C-alpha cells in the first residue's frame, strides 16, 4: 500500500482527541478543534532553543507544535488519557505514537501524574511549560500548581475552564459530581481572579490573561444554547468559559 494510503488507514482506525496534521495531506479527525484553541493561546511564534514540557499532552498536538516552532527539547507527559481505564477516547497512547512517527518527531514522552511532577522526576526544570485543559480535572488544584511551578523555569502557558465569572473576588466552583459538562473527572472551575491569585501564591511573579472572557450578552446567548441542548443549566453556563494565561517566574 502507498505510504500515504497506509498512514490514512492507520489514522482512520483510531479515535482522536486532537486535530493534527500528519503530513501527506492527512489531518486527524479529532473531536477537539485544536487549531482553533491554538489561536487563543498566544503561543510564542518561536521556541528556538527552549526546553518545553507539555503536561497532559494526550495526542500531543501542542508538543508537536512547540517542536515545529524550534524547541530544542520537548517532553510530553500524561497519565489518564494514555493509561487510565475508561478515560478519553479509549485509544490510549496510540494516537500520540502514530503522530510522532508520521511527523518524524523527536518529542520525548513520560507517563506521570501531575501530582508526581518534580525536577528529579522530569530531569530538571523547563523554560516553557504547557498546562492546557488539565487544571479543572484535578481534585487538588493549588497543590497541582505547586508541582507545575516546581518544574517551570520561566513561562507557564495555562488554559482552563473558568467559572464564577463576575464573583468579584477569587473563587472556585466545586463540581463534586458531574456538574461540569456531565463529566465526573471535572473537579474545580476557578475564576480569572483565582487563577491569578493561585499562580502568584505558587511563585509566578507576573500573570497575564491572554483571552478575556466574552461579554455578558454573548455569554447569555451561549448559555441559552447550552440549556436548549441539555448540556448545562442556563445559570451555570452563563458563569463559565475557557481562558488562557501566561505566567512568568523570572
Ligand atoms: C481535556 S484533556 C487536554 C489535553 C491537551 N492538554 C489539550 O489541551 O488539548 C485533559 C488531559 O489531562 C490529562 N490529565 C488529567 N488528569 C491528570 C493527572 N492527574 N495527571 C496527568 N494528566 C492528567 C488527561 O489524561 C488528558 O490528556
Amino acid at each position: 500500500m502507498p505510504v500515504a494510503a497506509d498512514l490514512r488507514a492507520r489514522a482512520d482506525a483510531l479515535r482522536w482527541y486532537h486535530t493534527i496534521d500528519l503530513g501527506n495531506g492527512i489531518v486527524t479527525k479529532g473531536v477537539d478543534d485544536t487549531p482553533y484553541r491554538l489561536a487563543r493561546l498566544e503561543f510564542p511564534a518561536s521556541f528556538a532553543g527552549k526546553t518545553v514540557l507539555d503536561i497532559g499532552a494526550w495526542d500531543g498536538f501542542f508538543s508537536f507544535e512547540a517542536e515545529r516552532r524550534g524547541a530544542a527539547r520537548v517532553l510530553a507527559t500524561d497519565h489518564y488519557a494514555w493509561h487510565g481505564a475508561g478515560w478519553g477516547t479509549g485509544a490510549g497512547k496510540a494516537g500520540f505514537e502514530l503522530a510522532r512517527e508520521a511527523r518524524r518527531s523527536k518529542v520525548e514522552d513520560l507517563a506521570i501524574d501531575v501530582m508526581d511532577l518534580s525536577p528529579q522526576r522530569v530531569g530538571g526544570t523547563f523554560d516553557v511549560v504547557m498546562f492546557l485543559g488539565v487544571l479543572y480535572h484535578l481534585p487538588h488544584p493549588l497543590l497541582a500548581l505547586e508541582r507545575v511551578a516546581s518544574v517551570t523555569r520561566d513561562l507557564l502557558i495555562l488554559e482552563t475552564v473558568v467559572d464564577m465569572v463576575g464573583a468579584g473576588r477569587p473563587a472556585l466552583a466545586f463540581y463534586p459530581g458531574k456538574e461540569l459538562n456531565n463529566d465526573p473527572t471535572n473537579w474545580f472551575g476557578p475564576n480569572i481572579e483565582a487563577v491569578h491569585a493561585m499562580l502568584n501564591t505558587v511563585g509566578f511573579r507576573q500573570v497575564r490573561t491572554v483571552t478575556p472572557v466574552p461579554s455578558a450578552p454573548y455569554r447569555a446567548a451561549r448559555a441559552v444554547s447550552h440549556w436548549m441542548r441539555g448540556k448545562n443549566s442556563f445559570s451555570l453556563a452563563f458563569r463559565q468559559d475557557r481562558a488562557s494565561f501566561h505566567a512568568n517566574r523570572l
Side-chain angles (χ1 to χ4, degrees), residues 152-216:
T152 308
R153 203 181 74 78
D154 184 20
L155 173 65
L156 172 68
I157 306 174
L158 183 152
E159 190 239 8
T160 183
V161 163
V162 287
D163 202 329
M164 311 294 286
V165 172
R169 62 187 175 125
L172 288 80
F174 179 37
Y175 314 119
K178 298 180 178 176
E179 293 84 350
L180 180 63
N181 296 336
N182 206 25
D183 180 350
T185 73
N186 293 327
W187 286 98
F188 284 100
N191 62 10
I192 302 256
E193 293 88 339
V195 174
H196 280 243
M198 289 195 294
L199 289 172
N200 289 149
T201 301
V202 300
F204 290 94
R205 289 146 60 105
Q206 291 179 30
V207 182
R208 193 164 58 87
T209 308
V210 299
T211 45
V213 169
S215 67

Side-chain angles (χ1 to χ4, degrees), residues 17-18 32 34 37 54-58 62 77-82 87 112-115 131-134 136-138 159 242:
Y17 181 66
H18 284 155
D32 179 58
T34 329
R37 285 181 48 231
D54 185 2
I55 302 170
W58 204 330
F62 296 102
T77 66
D78 208 312
H79 181 66
Y80 291 95
W82 286 353
W87 232 95
I112 185 169
D113 193 294
V114 175
M115 307 313 291
F131 193 44
L132 310 172
V134 184
Y136 53 92
H137 286 295
L138 303 172
E159 190 239 8
R242 293 187 84 98

Side-chain angles (χ1 to χ4, degrees), residues 10-249:
R10 290 169 67 199
D12 285 351
L14 295 175
R15 294 177 66 203
W16 293 84
Y17 181 66
H18 284 155
T19 302
I20 307 182
D21 188 343
L22 300 181
N24 289 300
I26 299 163
V27 178
T28 64
K29 297 179 180 128
V31 294
D32 179 58
D33 186 352
T34 329
Y36 167 78
R37 285 181 48 231
L38 172 67
R40 291 167 52 89
L41 292 178
E42 274 195 27
F43 227 48
S46 168
F47 282 77
K50 304 280 187 199
T51 56
V52 179
L53 174 66
D54 185 2
I55 302 170
W58 204 330
D59 294 329
F61 175 97
F62 296 102
S63 298
F64 301 128
E65 188 60 26
E67 180 180 56
R68 194 180 72 81
R69 297 185 189 206
R73 178 191 177 206
V74 183
L75 176 62
T77 66
D78 208 312
H79 181 66
Y80 291 95
W82 286 353
H83 302 295
W87 232 95
T89 55
K93 202 175 169 195
F96 173 83
E97 282 169 349
L98 179 57
R100 179 166 62 181
E101 177 192 327
R103 294 174 65 106
R104 295 189 173 81
S105 161
K106 294 187 170 59
V107 168
E108 300 163 34
D109 63 288
L110 177 71
I112 185 169
D113 193 294
V114 175
M115 307 313 291
D116 295 329
L117 289 170
S118 70
Q120 293 74 24
R121 291 291 305 274
V122 297
T125 57
F126 289 75
D127 298 319
V128 183
V129 171
M130 302 187 287
F131 193 44
L132 310 172
V134 184
L135 183 65
Y136 53 92
H137 286 295
L138 303 172
H140 306 291
L142 190 56
L143 192 55
L145 287 174
E146 274 183 15
R147 305 316 322 142
V148 171
S150 78
V151 294
T152 308
R153 203 181 74 78
D154 184 20
L155 173 65
L156 172 68
I157 306 174
L158 183 152
E159 190 239 8
T160 183
V161 163
V162 287
D163 202 329
M164 311 294 286
V165 172
R169 62 187 175 125
L172 288 80
F174 179 37
Y175 314 119
K178 298 180 178 176
E179 293 84 350
L180 180 63
N181 296 336
N182 206 25
D183 180 350
T185 73
N186 293 327
W187 286 98
F188 284 100
N191 62 10
I192 302 256
E193 293 88 339
V195 174
H196 280 243
M198 289 195 294
L199 289 172
N200 289 149
T201 301
V202 300
F204 290 94
R205 289 146 60 105
Q206 291 179 30
V207 182
R208 193 164 58 87
T209 308
V210 299
T211 45
V213 169
S215 67
Y218 177 90
R219 285 189 288 120
R222 193 182 47 193
V224 169
S225 136
H226 277 217
W227 168 69
M228 288 177 72
R229 286 181 287 139
K231 203 173 163 195
N232 247 333
S233 75
F234 175 86
S235 64
L236 282 183
F238 181 66
R239 286 177 178 75
Q240 292 166 355
D241 208 323
R242 293 187 84 98
S244 311
F245 305 83
H246 284 197
N248 291 86
R249 297 205 64 166

